[in-house]
Amino acid sequence: MQPRPPQSRSESAFDDYKLPLLRDAAVAEANRCLFCHDAPCIKACPTAIDIPQFIRKIATGNVRGSAATIFDANILGMGCARVCPVEVLCVGACVYNELEQPPIEIGKLQRYATDIAYDQGWRFGEAGPPTGKRVALVGSGPASLAAAHELRRLGHACTIFERRAVVGGLNSTGVAPYKMRADRAVAEAEWVLAIGGIEVRTGMEVGRDLTIRELEGGFDAVFVGSGLGADSRLGVAGEDLAGVHGAVAWIEAMKLGRVDVSSVRRAAVIGGGNTAIDAVREVLGLGVPHVEMIYRGTRERMSGYAHEWAAALSEGAHAEWEAVVTALEGDRCVERVRCVRVDAQRRPVAGSAFTVAADLVILAIGQSRLGELLGALDGIVVEGGLIRTDAAGFTGRPKWFAGGDCTNGGKEVVNAAAEGKRAARAIDAAISGKGHAHG
Ligand SMILES: Cc1cc2nc3c(=O)[nH]c(=O)nc-3n(C[C@H](O)[C@H](O)[C@H](O)COP(=O)(O)OP(=O)(O)OC[C@H]3O[C@@H](n4cnc5c(N)ncnc54)[C@H](O)[C@@H]3O)c2cc1C
Ligand code: SF4
């Protein structure tokens, strides 16, 4: 049993953003599906779940079969049903959009089947006959969990090294609680690990508690699913004032119940990506009366999803567009954010300086990249802090494979799950001598 974060007081402030479907509604929605040949929704899913098949099984009352179809493609199908940005993936690709009718609620149907599977204690995917091969995995996020599960189906013993006390990676510590709470993410990790034969060593940082050479010498293959690093900094005066936090660190503390915003009246979130929008919605959800997002680009060009920003707006978010932070000011604690407007080339506009009052400032301008961990190994190319691999996840150095955020620069849980599983198959081919040259 992994250490499980209690549902924190902060997390309990949030309701489910997308309400689950009850049985009759799920069956009715499933019966709307056109069960398209060459279904575009499947192509839009990085794990290529056979969506019409799992929906058809819900329509015929075969929920167990539906869950089996989902988990066979994506063992993290329960979490993905909650956290995937379906609006830009499967649901966005549904043919009903072209017919100008509401697309099938694929995420909610997936949640319906997978929640029942968890509640009923059904299990899917058995460990294969032991091969005697051992694989190390760096990190316990979605990429490593998906890789380890697939490796166990293929019969290889696995050891996961995780530097934190809690398993699950950003699924546990980053994803917004109105999508999935930390305890649910850890429960998902336990459910995946229950296939057996996966040793999890938490509190073990590769590079500090264990060298990469030790890993290489002690295992038949290594999968690196180490994700991204610490929050990036702005590089302006005042960044070390109390009340200024990196978004990923603040969200992790919030999810673990370690933040207190009871005295905060006004907050500012710097950035325009999905992490920035999550932070805005989380601070609002905790009851801070005024939350301002400050973004250097326009609303149209923000990298955060339009549907997420629309939700933030409906919850009372404010924004300053085309504004760059020049300093953070205050007397020990942050009190204001100094900004200047910028033009389309991000050049400051003369005479446009302004100030935003804030007693909490969250910097959501990206995460650093951890590629240097492997940069010293011959045969591994680290570009811009990301580990380069081929399409199968092979790094170029025998034994070493990678996937998830540390290779793709930060996408979604479903991408990490797909890449982890794909690398597991490449590892199997390499260590089983199945004609692959990577071993
Ligand atoms: C704030 C935030 C919100 C997000 N919300 C969503 C969302 O709603 N939906 C969605 O699909 N995606 C979301 N994502 C993205 C998603 O969480 C990531 O794409 C996904 O978790 C990547 O999985 P991973 O396994 O590659 O890395 P991670 O989840 O980052 O896991 C990496 C793990 O490796 C460990 N580790 C790192 N270095 C070492 C080392 N040297 N030794 C041992 N362990 C190490 C880390 O502690 C961590 O547990 C969000 C990301 C953030 C930052
Ligand atoms: S595209 Fe829409 S209607 Fe067609 S199979 Fe997928 S969910 Fe069903």
Side-chain angles (χ1 to χ4, degrees), residues 29-30 32-42 50-53 55 90-91 93-97 99 102-106 109:
E29 184 66 1
R32 284 181 61 229
C33 179
L34 303 171
F35 309 116
C36 307
H37 174 69
D38 211 15
C41 53
I42 303 180
D50 190 336
I51 292 167
Q53 191 182 127
I55 293 180
C90 53
V91 173
C94 177
V95 293
Y96 270 116
N97 293 296
L99 304 173
I104 300 294
E105 298 210 76
I106 301 168
L109 288 172

Side-chain angles (χ1 to χ4, degrees), residues 83-85 138-144 161-164 166-171 174-176 179 204-207 225-228 247-248 251 274-275 278 308 367 370 373 403-406 408 410-414 416:
V83 310
C84 263
V138 184
S140 68
S144 289
F161 296 94
E162 168 56 58
R163 68 177 174 190
R164 288 187 164 88
V166 172
V167 293
L170 283 172
N171 221 10
V175 166
K179 294 180 190 165
M204 286 287 285
E205 180 169 336
V206 174
S226 52
L228 297 174
V248 175
I251 290 169
N274 288 311
T275 298
D278 278 4
E308 296 276 357
Q367 287 174 263
L370 292 170
L373 181 69
D405 279 6
C406 67
N408 66 32
K411 288 188 177 172
E412 313 289 349
V413 169
V414 69

Side-chain angles (χ1 to χ4, degrees), residues 215-293:
L215 274 190
E216 192 170 65
F219 293 87
D220 296 290
V222 184
F223 174 78
V224 182
S226 52
L228 297 174
D231 292 288
S232 302
R233 288 170 63 89
L234 269 176
V236 301
E239 230 168 334
D240 295 320
L241 286 166
V244 181
H245 305 271
V248 175
W250 184 86
I251 290 169
E252 177 172 350
M254 183 272 297
K255 290 191 65 145
L256 298 175
R258 296 182 191 141
V259 301
D260 177 6
V261 292
S262 54
S263 61
V264 176
R265 310 310 319 149
R266 296 177 68 98
V269 176
I270 319 300
N274 288 311
T275 298
I277 300 176
D278 278 4
V280 166
R281 296 181 66 189
E282 285 158 349
V283 177
L284 281 168
L286 292 176
V288 173
H290 188 99
V291 184
E292 194 91 42
M293 192 172 81

Side-chain angles (χ1 to χ4, degrees), residues 300-314:
E300 293 68 35
R301 301 194 64 183
M302 73 192 295
S303 59
Y305 296 130
H307 66 270
E308 296 276 357
W309 178 244
L313 274 180
S314 72

